[in-house]
Amino acid sequence: MLESLKPYLTVRNAIYFFSFIAGWPCVFYLLGWLPNYQINYIVLFGICFIFTILIGGEAIPSKMRNILYVQIFCWVFYSMIHQDTSYFTRILYLLITYMLLKMQYNDDNENNFVKIYDGWISLQAVCGTIGLILVTIGILTPLGFFTEMDGRRGYFFGLFTTNVYFGGLVRNAGFFDEPGAMACWGIYALLLNKLFVKNKVIEYALIIGLISTLSMAYYIQLAGYLLLFYRKRTWKLILIVVTIYMASRVIASYNTELSNAIFGRFEYNESTGKLAGDNRSDLVDTCWKIFCDYPIFGMGARALASSETAQTYGFVGANFFTGWAADGLIGAFVSYLPLIMIFQMGRFDKKYYGVGLILLIGFLQRPYDSAQLLFPLLTYSILLHGYMSESSIEDEDNLLESAPDNVSL
């Protein structure tokens, strides 16, 4: 066991893992297991800076480098026009992202980052599923409590945490701030694994395990994932869909609350004209109004989160137009540059059109947030590993074309 893990026990891989748990949306610092997230990210920046200086190596591809430069310049500009120092946080995360991308690009095992991330998310999915079952049948109860970033109570069950635990309903959030976040980062893990590692055990562990999040967005994105990668393998697609449905039915059978959380949210509500699980439409309307009032540069990130904005427009929560309201059309465009580049990669490999669409569907419910490290880090990592895999194929093709006819490769 230890021998099999030995190749992964390196300083570089420890830095990778620390980047996943250093701060929000991971709740380790809220549980008291790590210092405040601000300290963690400063430490992470320092470690990455020293490590990248020591290892040297090649710079990341120029297209990604240029996009990072554009985003950094944009947030410097926004910090000045809005007189808002919160944009410095985005710049810090982009600098950390750049250094972590360089570490991946110069890693002898180029998939280590992806393997560690997928293993971490898969572990949470499996442990959370086991924990959810134990809680539902009355064996497991909270081992402790903590306060979430938004002031809500969080529950620590040992195997997982959650902020949804009432009336027989419990949802797996892994060690993230809420179940929807676990589902969001689980989709990233699914895509990274399918594109670059292709580990079937990890894939099935994620597909089944993430059901425990009871996330409506997860089911929708998973449908896109299955259509993208399994539409030509009919029987395997049918088997996976049936397995997911049966697993969902088993979980839903424990009580009415679980059943409503899984299946009731897809029911059409005639009085509202929306799906029962639609908790974003009203928030979209609010942020759209703000965007219309500040269409070019937005009202500023800190101003959007202020109590004055809440009094004027109402509650402003996570939805697709949150970034548009904060940063306007220009800021939203700059934020989505890495996603646009993923779509552009579809010109060389059509599956990236599907990957971009799956991510975009997720952003409709959980918007791309430049104030969270994982969004730029993982989105750019898809780009980087996509570039490396395509480059390796091109190199092999060029080698074959240039080889003499009597040489066997």
Side-chain angles (χ1 to χ4, degrees):
M1 177 73 174
L2 290 177
E3 286 298 319
S4 63
L5 292 176
K6 196 172 182 180
Y8 295 99
L9 301 178
T10 66
V11 173
R12 188 194 307 260
N13 291 344
I15 296 173
Y16 290 160
F17 183 70
F18 184 50
S19 70
F20 305 147
I21 65 172
W24 187 63
C26 181
V27 296
F28 279 2
Y29 72 99
L30 296 175
L31 288 166
W33 299 356
L34 289 174
N36 183 275
Y37 73 97
Q38 295 173 323
I39 297 174
N40 296 334
Y41 281 130
I42 292 173
V43 170
L44 178 61
F45 175 85
I47 293 173
C48 288
F49 181 79
I50 293 171
F51 192 87
T52 52
I53 292 295
L54 291 176
I55 66 169
E58 298 180 31
I60 64 173
S62 59
K63 285 186 178 180
M64 272 173 271
R65 210 164 57 237
N66 292 338
I67 292 177
L68 281 162
Y69 292 158
V70 168
Q71 290 186 321
I72 290 171
F73 173 80
C74 179
W75 302 142
V76 169
F77 176 69
Y78 268 64
S79 70
M80 293 187 293
I81 65 171
H82 288 302
Q83 295 295 297
D84 186 347
T85 56
S86 70
Y87 286 97
F88 294 155
T89 300
R90 303 187 188 190
I91 296 169
L92 175 66
Y93 292 162
L94 288 173
L95 293 172
I96 292 173
T97 294
Y98 173 81
M99 291 184 286
L100 286 167
L101 290 173
K102 185 176 180 181
M103 289 168 59
Q104 294 177 61
Y105 194 56
N106 292 279
D107 196 338
D108 292 335
N109 187 337
E110 62 184 36
N111 286 326
N112 265 350
F113 176 89
V114 176
K115 290 177 180 178
I116 292 169
Y117 178 74
D118 282 347
W120 169 232
I121 300 297
S122 299
L123 179 65
Q124 293 177 81
V126 172
C127 289
T129 299
I130 295 171
L132 182 145
I133 294 171
L134 295 177
V135 172
T136 302
I137 62 180
I139 294 178
L140 185 62
T141 57
L143 304 179
F145 307 94
F146 61 97
T147 302
E148 298 274 11
M149 285 278 284
D150 60 5
R152 288 182 291 179
R153 168 173 279 200
Y155 302 87
F156 172 61
F157 287 93
L159 293 173
F160 71 105
T161 67
T162 189
N163 63 351
V164 181
Y165 177 55
F166 57 87
L169 174 62
V170 62
R171 297 172 59 190
N172 172 30
F175 290 95
F176 292 106
D177 63 310
E178 62 176 0
M182 176 68 196
C184 168
W185 306 118
I187 288 293
Y188 267 98
L190 264 176
L191 291 172
L192 285 164
N193 176 71
K194 192 66 176 180
L195 291 170
F196 311 118
V197 180
K198 300 177 175 60
N199 185 311
K200 290 293 183 183
V201 174
I202 292 293
E203 182 180 32
Y204 296 147
L206 288 169
I207 288 175
I208 302 301
L210 291 171
I211 294 173
S212 61
T213 64
L214 310 185
S215 168
M216 184 177 179
Y218 170 66
Y219 281 96
I220 296 172
Q221 286 181 279
L222 179 61
Y225 175 87
L226 295 176
L227 288 173
L228 174 63
F229 293 109
Y230 287 97
R231 68 183 183 279
K232 295 181 179 179
R233 287 174 275 180
T234 307
W235 286 109
K236 183 168 282 190
L237 176 60
I238 292 173
L239 179 61
I240 293 174
V241 171
V242 169
T243 301
I244 293 169
Y245 179 78
M246 294 303 295
S248 300
R249 278 296 177 189
V250 169
I251 294 174
S253 67
Y254 282 100
N255 57 59
T256 303
E257 288 77 11
L258 286 170
S259 180
N260 289 335
I262 298 176
F263 296 103
R265 301 168 79 186
F266 289 93
E267 295 178 357
Y268 182 73
N269 188 327
E270 293 184 359
S271 63
T272 62
K274 305 173 185 175
L275 293 178
D278 180 4
N279 59 0
R280 291 293 190 269
S281 293
D282 292 339
L283 301 178
V284 166
D285 292 340
T286 299
C287 283
W288 179 254
K289 291 176 184 177
I290 297 174
F291 168 69
C292 291
D293 289 341
Y294 303 89
I296 306 302
F297 298 112
M299 73 179 334
R302 182 165 290 164
L304 185 68
S306 68
S307 57
E308 291 82 1
T309 299
Q311 292 173 0
T312 304
Y313 293 94
F315 176 72
V316 178
N319 65 87
F320 182 69
F321 287 108
T322 301
W324 297 57
D327 307 320
L329 194 59
I330 292 176
F333 174 76
V334 170
S335 292
Y336 281 92
L337 281 175
L339 178 64
I340 293 170
M341 193 171 176
I342 288 177
F343 277 110
Q344 288 182 331
M345 289 179 67
R347 294 180 299 170
F348 307 102
D349 189 337
K350 290 184 179 179
K351 68 173 175 282
Y352 284 99
Y353 288 132
V355 170
L357 182 59
I358 290 169
L359 292 177
L360 181 60
I361 291 171
F363 296 158
L364 294 175
Q365 186 267 347
R366 183 171 294 274
Y368 186 98
D369 187 353
S370 301
Q372 289 187 43
L373 174 63
L374 290 185
F375 273 112
L377 176 58
L378 295 178
T379 308
Y380 275 108
S381 292
I382 289 177
L383 283 174
L384 179 68
H385 288 270
Y387 172 86
M388 290 192 292
S389 62
E390 294 301 322
S391 297
S392 63
I393 293 172
E394 289 178 5
D395 290 343
E396 290 177 6
D397 289 343
N398 293 334
L399 184 61
L400 286 169
E401 289 174 3
S402 61
D405 293 338
N406 62 340
V407 175
S408 174
L409 294 177

